[in-house]
Amino acid sequence: MDTNLPVTDLPRFEAQKPQKLAASYAVACVSVLSIALGFILGACFVVSLFATDLDLTPIKQHGMWGVPVLLGLYALVWLGAKCKAYAVREQDVSFYSGIVFRKVVVQPITRLQHIEVSRGAIERAFGLATLKMYSAGGALHSVAIPGLPVEEAEALRGHILDSRGLANEQ
Amino acid sequence: MSNDWQRLSPWAIVFFAFRGLKHIANLYPAFIGVFITAQHFDLGWGAIALYTFYAFVVLVLGASLYYLNFFYIQQGDKFLIRSGILQKDRLELPFARIQNITVKEPFYFRPLGLVILNMDSAGSAQKEVGIAALSLAKAATIKDTIEQYNAARSSEAEMSDTTANTETDKVDPSTKTLLITRSNADIVLHGITHNRAWLLLAFMAPFFEQIQTLLFHVIEAIGFDFATWISNKSVFVITMLFIVSAFFVFFVMSLLSVLGSILSLYDFKLYAGKNVYQRNSGLLNKHEIQVKKSRVQALRYVQNWMDRIVGRLVLILEPFNASSGQPAASIMQKILVPSINDTEFDGLAKHVYPTFALQKDTFKPISKYYLVRKLYMVVLPLFAATAAVAIVSKQYELLVFTPLVFLLMPLFYCRWRRYGWMQCDDYLVVRSGFIGVEYFVFPRYKVQQVKVYQSIFLKRKKLASVQFVLASRAAFIPFMGEQDAHALANNTLYEVEVSGRSWM
C-alpha cells in the first residue's frame, strides 16, 4: 500500500455513501415498541382488576393526551430506525445514527478484537441480524449494526474477517 | 523449577485472610445497613465483640481452606494455577499473555521477607493472578524468567518485522535507568494538593447523626453546657466558631491526605527498562508496578486548581486496561508521577514520546458556539423550569432568584476557555479542564475508534465534535471547525489503518 499519499488525497470518511438498513428494520422496531407497550398496558389492566378502589377519573379526564404521546413515540422510533445506516470501506466500517443529533462511528477493522452476528427472536421473525463489533476501547464503545438482512450480515462478517487477515499479513 | 504442583508458604493464609477482609470491606454499603439494624436491636458491645470474633474465625478458616486448595506449577512457558474450595478454578497463564508483573510487599510480610507476585494478563480473561508469600529471591527469579522470555519473544517479532532497532536489542533487559525520584517535600505537597480524604467524609455521611450525639455526650460529660453557652453568644462569635471548626476539619483532612500520600508514595522512583517502565514506592507496603512501554496508550498532564497555585502537576502513564468497564479497579495499574514541574514533565514526556513537545501557546481553541449552545440547551431551559415552578406554586418572590442560573455562564466560559487541541508530529493533544487543566497526549496510531458528532444545528454552523476512543479512555473535542474535525478524523484513520502498527 502506498504510504506516501499527500494529506489532501486521503480517503475521506465523510465522502462515503451510507447504505440503508433493511426496510423491515423500522417495522421490527415498531413491533418491539408495540410489544413493550402491550405488556405495560396488560400489567395496568391486571392491576386495575384487583385494585377495585382505584380512582380512575384523572385517566378518564386527561387520557386523550395519551394519543399524541403514543403517536410521537411511534414516530420517534420509526424515524430513529430510518436514520440508521452503515458504510463499509476496505479498512473500516462506519455506522450512522441519530435523527437530529447525528453521529458517525468509524471502526477500523485492524482494531477489532472480535465480531459476532446475533439474532433475537423478533429479528429472526423479520429475517434480520445484528453485527456486533468489539474493539479494545471497551464495551462502552462497541459498535452494533442492527437491521441487516442475514446474508448481508454474514457477508459483512466475512469481509471483516478477510481484511483482518490482510491487515495481519502486512 | 520442579515438575510437581507446588503449594504456597503457609504464611499465604495471612494474605488470603486480608484479601477476604478486603472483599468484605468492599461491601461497606451493606455494613451501613447492618449497623443501623444492630442499633435497632440494641446489641451490647459484648455481643458485637463475640460476633466479630466468630467472623474472624470464619475468615481464618476460609483462608486456610483456600490455602490448602491452592496449587501452582510452572510448565515450560506458562503458569498453571489450581484454586478454589467449592468452585474449582483452573487457570492457564502463558507468559506471552502476561502484561504486568507487580511485586507487592505488604507490611505483614515484610519482617518475614516474603512478597506477593501479581501477574496481570491481557485480553478477555480479565484475570489477575497473585502468588502470595513467595520469598523475594524466588519472586525475582520468576519475574526474570517471564521478562526474559517476553523480551526474547518481542525481539524475535521485531527481527521478523525488519523494522527492529537492532542496537537496543542487545541491551540486557534487567538494566534499568532511573528517570526521576520524588523527595518527601514533593510527596507532602502532592498530599495537600490532591486531597482524597474528602471521600472519607462522604462515606461517613450516614453516621453523622451518631457522631453528633456522641460529640454532645462527650461535651456533656466534661460538664460543659454547650446549649446555654451558645445561646448567649453573638452571631459574630457563632460565625467565627463555624469558620474555625471548618478550618479544623480542613486541616485534619489535609493531614490524613498527606499521611496517605506518604504511605503510598514514599521513596518514589521511576525507572525505564528496555521494554518497561517501573515505579517503586511505599512506606509500609512497598509497591512495584511495571508497565510495558508498548502498552502505554496515552500520557496525561493533570493539574488541578491547587496544583496551579504551587506550579506542580501530575503525570500519568495510562496503559491499556483489561477491565475498561470498571476504571476504579485498574487505578493501581497506572504509573503516576506526583508533583512535578513543567520542565520535569517535558523531560519525562520526551522519554515516553521522543518526537513530542508540549507547546502550550499553539493550541487551537474550540468554537464560541459552545457557549451559545450551553445557553439555550442548559441555562435557558433551567431558567424556564425554575420560573415555571415559582409561578405554578404561586411563590412569586422566588422569581427574584431565578436569574441566578445565568451565573452558570461564567462557569461554562471557564470550561470553554480550557478546551483546545494541537497536533505535534504523530501525536494529538487534547486540552480540557475547568479551573485546573489537563493535557491528554496520545499517538494517533493507538486510536481504536473515531466518532464524529454533528447535529443538524452544528452542520449549519459548519462545526462538529470528534471523539477518539483509545484502549485506556476516550478524548473528546467538542465544537471544532467541520474541516478540522474531518481532517483530524481522516488523518487518524489513515494512520491507524495503513501504518499497521500495533496498539499493544
Side-chain angles (χ1 to χ4, degrees), chain B residues 202-372:
Chain B
F203 289 139
M204 276 160 64
F207 307 108
F208 276 167
E209 214 182 296
Q210 274 87 25
I211 294 169
Q212 204 184 347
T213 22
L214 188 77
L215 266 179
F216 276 115
H217 281 310
V218 170
I219 293 169
E220 258 173 43
I222 320 171
F224 180 70
D225 193 351
F226 187 72
T228 28
W229 181 81
I230 201 132
S231 62
N232 294 329
K233 296 295 176 243
S234 66
V235 177
F236 175 75
V237 174
I238 295 170
T239 319
M240 286 313 285
L241 188 71
F242 181 76
I243 292 172
V244 168
S245 23
F247 265 103
F248 178 71
V249 171
F250 183 77
F251 178 72
V252 171
M253 288 295 143
S254 300
L255 217 59
L256 276 178
S257 172
V258 167
L259 202 71
S261 178
I262 293 173
L263 276 178
S264 65
L265 297 174
Y266 178 77
D267 195 20
F268 183 97
K269 286 192 179 76
L270 180 69
Y271 298 95
K274 186 189 157 242
N275 298 319
V276 292
Y277 286 109
Q278 180 182 324
R279 186 201 108 161
N280 290 56
S281 69
L283 183 64
L284 297 175
N285 288 355
K286 294 267 175 203
H287 211 103
E288 181 183 307
I289 300 173
Q290 285 197 340
V291 170
K292 270 197 206 172
K293 282 181 181 171
S294 63
R295 254 195 110 191
V296 173
Q297 300 293 313
L299 180 73
R300 281 164 71 205
Y301 170 122
V302 183
Q303 188 176 44
N304 67 17
W305 65 275
M306 277 175 117
D307 277 332
R308 280 187 83 76
I309 296 171
V310 293
R312 296 299 180 102
L313 64 106
V314 176
L315 179 148
I316 300 169
L317 285 181
E318 275 195 337
F320 154 59
N321 74 58
S323 50
S324 18
Q326 325 140 306
S330 55
I331 283 169
M332 286 315 289
Q333 305 300 332
K334 289 176 194 164
I335 288 192
L336 180 149
V337 188
S339 211
I340 55 175
N341 58 31
D342 275 340
T343 334
E344 286 163 325
F345 173 85
D346 288 341
L348 288 175
K350 215 107 249 103
H351 194 277
V352 182
Y353 296 141
T355 56
F356 167 75
L358 184 65
Q359 290 146 331
K360 290 182 180 174
D361 45 359
T362 57
F363 274 77
K364 279 200 181 183
I366 62 164
S367 163
K368 285 202 177 76
Y369 184 69
Y370 175 83
L371 293 170
V372 180

Side-chain angles (χ1 to χ4, degrees), chain B residues 33-44:
Chain B
V34 171
F35 184 77
I36 290 163
T37 342
Q39 267 212 329
H40 212 75
F41 287 115
D42 209 14
L43 291 173

Side-chain angles (χ1 to χ4, degrees), chain A residues 8-151:
Chain A
T8 43
D9 289 356
L10 282 182
R12 294 182 303 135
F13 83 91
E14 69 273 19
Q16 296 181 94
K17 292 249 171 345
Q19 268 179 279
K20 284 190 176 134
L21 303 179
S24 54
Y25 174 62
V27 185
C29 286
V30 165
S31 319
V32 172
L33 177 66
S34 308
I35 292 168
L37 286 174
F39 267 111
I40 295 170
L41 286 179
C44 291
F45 178 69
V46 172
V47 168
S48 70
L49 281 185
F50 290 97
T52 43
D53 53 345
L54 268 184
D55 181 15
L56 294 176
T57 41
I59 294 178
K60 281 173 191 153
Q61 273 174 1
H62 305 290
M64 287 308 289
W65 287 104
V67 178
V69 168
L70 268 186
L71 282 179
L73 205 59
Y74 272 102
L76 218 58
V77 168
W78 178 269
L79 270 178
K82 281 290 174 200
C83 284
K84 285 180 189 164
Y86 73 98
V88 185
R89 291 193 292 186
E90 195 184 323
Q91 298 277 355
D92 57 33
V93 180
S94 307
F95 179 59
Y96 300 76
S97 61
I99 304 169
V100 174
F101 298 96
R102 304 278 298 152
K103 172 175 136 185
V104 191
V105 184
V106 189
Q107 177 62 62
I109 291 169
T110 50
R111 292 291 179 259
L112 283 176
Q113 294 288 317
H114 74 276
I115 47 175
E116 62 185 50
V117 173
S118 79
R119 305 187 68 199
I122 291 169
E123 284 181 311
R124 278 202 298 274
F126 283 90
L128 297 175
T130 300
L131 183 75
K132 289 182 182 165
M133 298 178 279
Y134 299 90
S135 69
L140 270 177
H141 300 287
S142 61
V143 193
I145 304 180
L148 294 170
V150 184
E151 318 78 59

Side-chain angles (χ1 to χ4, degrees), chain A residues 1-7 10-14 89-94 99-114 133-143 167 170, chain B residues 123 161 320-321 324-325 373 377 444-457 467 469-474 485-487 489-491 493-504:
Chain A
M1 200 166 290
D2 182 12
T3 47
N4 296 317
L5 216 59
V7 177
L10 282 182
R12 294 182 303 135
F13 83 91
E14 69 273 19
R89 291 193 292 186
E90 195 184 323
Q91 298 277 355
D92 57 33
V93 180
S94 307
I99 304 169
V100 174
F101 298 96
R102 304 278 298 152
K103 172 175 136 185
V104 191
V105 184
V106 189
Q107 177 62 62
I109 291 169
T110 50
R111 292 291 179 259
L112 283 176
Q113 294 288 317
H114 74 276
M133 298 178 279
Y134 299 90
S135 69
L140 270 177
H141 300 287
S142 61
V143 193
Q170 276 183 354
Chain B
D161 234 17
F320 154 59
N321 74 58
S324 18
R373 175 82 166 254
M377 292 288 273
R444 285 189 308 204
Y445 75 87
K446 294 255 179 187
V447 166
Q448 298 283 333
Q449 191 184 73
V450 180
K451 294 185 192 183
V452 180
Y453 299 83
Q454 192 177 37
S455 69
I456 49 178
F457 313 114
Q467 190 179 32
V469 179
L470 286 135
S472 62
R473 65 173 61 216
H486 287 170
N490 284 324
N491 289 354
L493 286 168
Y494 183 73
E495 224 159 287
V496 169
E497 292 165 6
V498 176
S499 77
R501 293 170 77 179
S502 165
W503 59 275
M504 214 166 101

